[in-house]
Each structure stands twice: as structure tokens, then as C-alpha cells.
Amino acid sequence: MPERKGAVREESVWDYPRPPRVVADGRHVVIRRGHLRLADSHDCQRVLETSHPPVFYVPRRDVRTELLSVSGRRSVCEWKGTATYWSLTGTAGGPALHDVAWSYEAPLPGYEAIAGHLAFYPDRAGACTVDGERVRPQPGGFYGGWITDEITGPFKGGPGSWGW
């Protein structure tokens, strides 16, 4: 799949590969918590995996990392490696919010492009947009996929989909 530069076309999550693939995405990604801009980038990476909406990984240089702290939570992905989770500190104009983002500090081979990037849960971080379109979160609360109008499902994560 070529790098996206504003052209929008329909994508079925059932056409995405397994194991997942990382692709560059030059669309404008903004993540806000209230009036506070947490991230703003035109240089993201998307991870595409069968049955999941894409996850946008934002370069750390485009994230207000001074508003985040490592939460201590870890998880392991068989493809990408060990994830580190990040919480929004209470200094961001509201209460602390736990595990709003994650990163792969030392991703496994094939996923090096997401090193130095953060992925945000759209339902935890606040308002996430792609080229001005408000992102809808992947159902279920476990996965962090970003649903936009061009992404079609059904999506893993909702009731009855854990065994897919």
C-alpha cells in the first residue's frame, strides 16, 4: 500500500495483512484533550492488521511528551514486541488519565519504523482527528484502532469477536 498524501479510498480491514504491516501516512493527525493539543503531525506511521482498524503512531517529536509519564504497565505483541504505556499527567489541565497511549521502545524486526512513536487510544486521549475528521474508537476498549469514514469492518473487539 503506497504512502497516503490526502487521497482517500475505502479500505476493508479484511484486506489488511497478518502479520501486520507498517505504512507511512502523511495526513494531518491531531490529538486534543479539551483545548490542549497533545499531538500534531503530518508524519505518522499506520499499523494495518487483519480485522483491526488502523493504529496511528505519532513521532515523539510531534507529541507533547512533557504532559505524559510512563505508567508502568506493559504488554507483549507477538509481532511488535513489548509495549510501554503512557499516562496523561494531572498537569495537563485536568485529572491524570491512565494508559492513554503506548509505544514500542525496541520493536521487533520488521516494525522498526514505529520506534520513537506513540499510539493513542482515541476513546481515552480525547478528540483524535485525521485530516479534520473525528476518529471513532475501535469497539471493546482493548484495541486502539482508529475508525474513519474510509475504513470498513466488521471490526474485532466488539461483543462476540474475541475468537476471530
Side-chain angles (χ1 to χ4, degrees):
M1 190 172 296
E3 181 175 343
R4 300 167 63 112
K5 294 286 186 184
V8 177
R9 63 180 175 77
E10 189 172 279
E11 294 180 9
S12 170
V13 297
W14 293 97
D15 292 334
Y16 292 164
R18 188 162 175 85
R21 181 174 58 231
V22 179
V23 296
D25 194 303
R27 290 180 290 171
H28 189 199
V29 170
V30 176
I31 302 165
R32 293 180 181 276
R33 183 71 183 172
H35 296 292
L36 183 66
R37 191 173 290 217
L38 299 176
D40 189 328
S41 185
H42 287 273
D43 191 24
C44 294
Q45 299 290 324
R46 287 192 317 153
V47 172
L48 310 177
E49 181 176 359
T50 304
S51 78
H52 297 274
V55 174
F56 282 76
Y57 285 78
V58 182
R60 199 163 286 172
R61 69 178 177 273
D62 296 337
V63 175
R64 300 272 313 270
T65 56
E66 74 275 11
L67 301 175
L68 300 171
S69 62
V70 173
S71 75
R73 178 179 169 211
R74 301 278 188 273
S75 67
V76 176
C77 170
E78 65 183 304
W79 312 111
K80 297 179 287 293
T82 301
T84 298
Y85 289 80
W86 299 79
S87 294
L88 185 62
T89 63
T91 60
L97 298 171
H98 298 288
D99 300 337
V100 297
W102 72 95
S103 63
Y104 291 92
E105 298 302 303
L108 294 174
Y111 298 91
E112 296 89 351
I114 62 172
H117 290 63
L118 292 167
F120 288 82
Y121 287 100
D123 58 341
R124 297 181 195 173
C128 302
T129 60
V130 176
D131 276 349
E133 179 187 345
R134 179 90 181 240
V135 171
R136 298 170 306 281
Q138 182 173 4
F142 178 76
Y143 301 107
W146 290 31
I147 302 171
T148 53
D149 288 345
E150 82 271 11
I151 306 300
T152 63
F155 309 113
K156 186 172 183 174
S161 67
W162 287 98
W164 293 359

